[in-house]
C-alpha cells in the first residue's frame, strides 16, 4: 500500500467495520487539546454512530491501490448521496445532486470510500474558510488559525489525519493556499487533465478539481485515479506520471524566483521559503535563477475580474430570486463587486491573460519551475469564526 505510513490508521478495507473505525478516528480528533474541530463533514451522526456511504464489498484482488482508502470531497463537487451546497444554505435545494462528479465516479470505481463532504468558504469567494452557515474550519495545528480557503475542510481533514486524501477545487489558490497553511500537499492539475463534469461551474475557465494529500506520492496516486480518459487521446494533454519506485534524483533543475513575491511575504514565511531553496541546492544541486514577472498587479486584477464575472454568470438564475439575508456578509460584498464588471472588462482580462501566458513561456525558456510563497502571511480566526449571519 503506497499511502503514507503516518496515515495507515485511516486505510480501511471495504470489508472492515467502517463506522467503528471512523468513529474512533473522530473521537481522537475531538480529544486533541480539548478542542472541538468543526471539520465540516456532511455526516448526520453522533460520535459513536457514524453513517458512511460504502460501496458493496468485493472479494479477491483489490480494485486498485485506492481500494478502501477514505477520501473526503469538497462541498463544491457532486458526490452521492450528499447535497452539493457550495458552502451556502440554499444551493443544495436549488440544484439537487443527481449523480457523482466524474472525478468522484472514477475514485469510486477504484474502490475508494467516499467519507463525506468537507466545508468550504461560501461559494469559494474567499480564502479564509470562515463560513457563517456551517461553521469555520480551524487549522488542526492551531485552532486560533484558519485552515485557509476555499477548500478549507479538505485541507483540515488531511492535516488532522481523518483522510489521507481529499478533493478540493482551485480557481486561484483554493487548493494550494489551504494546503500551505495546513502543512499538506496541494495540487492543481493542468487545465484539461480532469473532467469538470459535476463540479459547480463557479469559474469554469480557471477553476478545476484538485487534490490535497499527506505526501507527494499520495497526491500522484489519487491524481492517476481521476485523470480524464473520456476524450480521444489526440485531444488530451500529454500525461507522464513518475515511477514512484524510482530512486535516482532529478538533476539540473532550474528554479525561477521573482524576488517581489518573496519580499512581500512576512519574515517567517520568506525565511522558510529561502531555506527550502537552499536545501534543494545543497542536496540536489538545483539552481535558482532571479527573474521578473511583468505586470503582476495587472495579472491579479485580470484574474479577479475573470473569476468574478464567471461566478455571477453561473449563479445569475439563482441570485435574482435570492434574499440577501441568505448570503454571508463577505460574499455579499464580493458579489456586489462582481456584478459591477462589464463584458468589456472581462474581454480585456482575457487579453491580459494571454499576455501573461507569453511572459511565462519566456521564463520557461530558461527555467523549469517558477517558485513562490503560496501565501504571504497566516490568518487568525478571532471571534468571527463562531458568529452567524447578522447583516
Amino acid at each position: 500500500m503506497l499511502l503514507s505510513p503516518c496515515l495507515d490508521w485511516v486505510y480501511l478495507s471495504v470489508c472492515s467495520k467502517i463506522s467503528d473505525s471512523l468513529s474512533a478516528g473522530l473521537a481522537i480528533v475531538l480529544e486533541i487539546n480539548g478542542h472541538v474541530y468543526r471539520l465540516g463533514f456532511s455526516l448526520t451522526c453522533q460520535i459513536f454512530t457514524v453513517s458512511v456511504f460504502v460501496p458493496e464489498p468485493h472479494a479477491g484482488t483489490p480494485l486498485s491501490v485506492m481500494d478502501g482508502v477514505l477520501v473526503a470531497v469538497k462541498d463544491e463537487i457532486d458526490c452521492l448521496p450528499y447535497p452539493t451546497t457550495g458552502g451556502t444554505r440554499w444551493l443544495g435545494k436549488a440544484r439537487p445532486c443527481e449523480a457523482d462528479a466524474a472525478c468522484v465516479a472514477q475514485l469510486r470505481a477504484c474502490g475508494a470510500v467516499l467519507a463525506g463532504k468537507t466545508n468550504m468558504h461560501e461559494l469559494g469567494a474567499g480564502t479564509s474558510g470562515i463560513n457563517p452557515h456551517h461553521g469555520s474550519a480551524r487549522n488542526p495545528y492551531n485552532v486560533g488559525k484558519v485552515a485557509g480557503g476555499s477548500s478549507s475542510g479538505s485541507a483540515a481533514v488531511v492535516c488532522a489525519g481523518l483522510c489521507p486524501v481529499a478533493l478540493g477545487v482551485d480557481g486561484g489558490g483554493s487548493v494550494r493556499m489551504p494546503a500551505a497553511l495546513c502543512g499538506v500537499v496541494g495540487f492543481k492539475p493542468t487545465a484539461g487533465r480532469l473532467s469538470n463534469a459535476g463540479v459547480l461551474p463557479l469559474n469554469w475557465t480557471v477553476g478545476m478539481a484538485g487534490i490535497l494529500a499527506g505526501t507527494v506520492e499520495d497526491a500522484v496516486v489519487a491524481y492517476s485515479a481521476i485523470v480524464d480518459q473520456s476524450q480521444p487521446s489526440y485531444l488530451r494533454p500529454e500525461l507522464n506520471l513518475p515511477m514512484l519506485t524510482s530512486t535516482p534524483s532529478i538533476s539540473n533543475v532550474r528554479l525561477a524566483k521573482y524576488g517581489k513575491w518573496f519580499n512581500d511575504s512576512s519574515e517567517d514565511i520568506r525565511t522558510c521559503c529561502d531555506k527550502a531553496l537552499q536545501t534543494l541546492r545543497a542536496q540536489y544541486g538545483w539552481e535558482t535563477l532571479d527573474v521578473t514577472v511583468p505586470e503582476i498587479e495587472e495579472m491579479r486584477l485580470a484574474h479577479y475580474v475573470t473569476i468574478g464575472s464567471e461566478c455571477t454568470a453561473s449563479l445569475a438564475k439563482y441570485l435574482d430570486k435570492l434574499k440577501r439575508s441568505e448570503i454571508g456578509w463577505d460574499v455579499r460584498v464580493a458579489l456586489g463587486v462582481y456584478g459591477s464588471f462589464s463584458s468589456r472588462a472581462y474581454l480585456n482580462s482575457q487579453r491580459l491573460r494571454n499576455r501573461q501566458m507569453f511572459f511565462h513561456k519566456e521564463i520557461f525558456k530558461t527555467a523549469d519551475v517558477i517558485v513562490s510563497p503560496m501565501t504571504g502571511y497566516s490568518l487568525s480566526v478571532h471571534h468571527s469564526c463562531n458568529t452567524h449571519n447578522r447583516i
Side-chain angles (χ1 to χ4, degrees):
M1 182 60 208
L2 188 58
L3 293 175
S4 309
C6 63
L7 298 177
D8 276 348
W9 66 276
V10 296
Y11 174 73
L12 301 171
S13 165
V14 292
C15 299
S16 65
K17 296 182 179 179
I18 300 292
S19 60
D20 292 345
S21 300
L22 187 55
S23 295
L26 285 169
I28 291 170
V29 173
L30 292 176
E31 289 173 2
I32 297 175
N33 297 327
H35 295 289
V36 175
Y37 284 95
R38 303 183 68 175
L39 296 176
F41 271 104
S42 295
L43 298 176
T44 303
C45 63
Q46 294 179 345
I47 199 62
F48 291 110
T49 57
V50 180
S51 175
V52 182
F53 190 62
V54 184
E56 290 295 324
H58 54 270
T61 304
L63 296 176
S64 74
V65 293
M66 292 295 296
D67 198 349
V69 176
L70 285 176
V71 179
V73 179
K74 184 182 181 182
D75 198 13
E76 196 175 333
I77 303 172
D78 287 341
C79 178
L80 294 172
Y82 311 107
T84 303
T85 75
T88 70
R89 292 188 297 187
W90 53 270
L91 189 55
K93 299 175 182 177
R95 178 193 173 278
C97 176
E98 298 177 346
D100 285 334
C103 55
V104 171
Q106 287 174 244
L107 284 173
R108 205 186 293 277
C110 290
V113 177
L114 285 307
K117 303 296 283 292
T118 56
N119 202 1
M120 60 178 285
H121 202 108
E122 185 179 6
L123 293 178
T127 57
S128 69
I130 295 174
N131 188 303
H133 312 300
H134 306 302
S136 301
R138 295 174 180 265
N139 195 307
Y141 280 112
N142 182 345
V143 295
K145 301 288 186 179
V146 298
S150 62
S151 304
S152 47
S154 292
V157 295
V158 172
C159 176
L162 280 174
C163 295
V165 175
L167 295 183
V169 178
D170 191 319
S174 286
V175 162
R176 293 160 290 165
M177 183 179 292
L181 294 180
C182 290
V184 300
V185 175
F187 176 51
K188 178 183 181 180
T190 300
R193 290 271 173 82
L194 304 182
S195 170
N196 274 338
V199 178
L200 293 180
L202 298 180
N203 35 75
W204 59 88
T205 70
V206 292
M208 65 193 68
I211 296 167
L212 297 111
T215 67
V216 172
E217 291 84 357
D218 290 356
V220 171
V221 171
Y223 179 47
S224 64
I226 63 175
V227 167
D228 184 16
Q229 300 292 331
S230 63
Q231 297 187 37
S233 58
Y234 61 86
L235 293 177
R236 297 197 303 262
E238 183 179 354
L239 177 64
N240 296 294
L241 294 171
M243 294 295 294
L244 298 180
T245 55
S246 177
T247 53
S249 60
I250 303 174
S251 59
N252 301 321
V253 174
R254 295 162 299 179
L255 308 172
K257 173 187 174 182
Y258 183 30
K260 181 174 174 57
W261 281 333
F262 286 72
N263 296 336
D264 285 348
S265 303
S266 61
E267 184 177 354
D268 57 338
I269 291 177
R270 183 171 61 252
T271 300
C272 180
C273 291
D274 284 335
K275 187 179 296 184
L277 294 179
Q278 293 169 12
T279 300
L280 291 172
R281 180 178 180 85
Q283 292 191 3
Y284 303 106
W286 293 5
E287 182 182 2
T288 299
L289 309 174
D290 290 324
V291 300
T292 298
V293 182
E295 303 176 7
I296 58 170
E297 293 304 323
E298 291 84 351
M299 175 174 63
R300 191 198 316 271
L301 180 59
H303 176 263
Y304 189 66
V305 171
T306 299
I307 277 191
S309 299
E310 293 178 358
C311 181
T312 52
S314 174
L315 298 174
K317 62 181 179 181
Y318 306 119
L319 295 177
D320 292 341
K321 304 174 184 178
L322 201 62
K323 296 180 180 178
R324 288 177 57 84
S325 60
E326 294 187 68
I327 309 173
W329 66 268
D330 63 326
V331 178
R332 284 185 224 171
V333 172
L335 291 174
V337 174
Y338 296 168
S340 69
F341 299 149
S342 65
S343 57
R344 178 180 295 180
Y346 181 80
L347 292 175
N348 284 335
S349 294
Q350 306 320 299
R351 294 189 179 101
L352 285 169
R353 188 173 177 180
N354 287 332
R355 184 175 169 86
Q356 275 296 324
M357 292 298 292
F358 170 78
F359 293 147
H360 281 69
K361 287 178 180 178
E362 289 298 301
I363 293 174
F364 283 125
K365 288 180 179 179
T366 57
D368 303 298
V369 179
I370 299 176
V371 296
S372 75
M374 186 54 240
T375 179
Y377 57 94
S378 57
L379 299 174
S380 297
V381 173
H382 300 310
H383 67 280
S384 59
C385 237
N386 294 320
T387 59
H388 287 271
N389 193 5
R390 297 175 181 170
I391 300 176

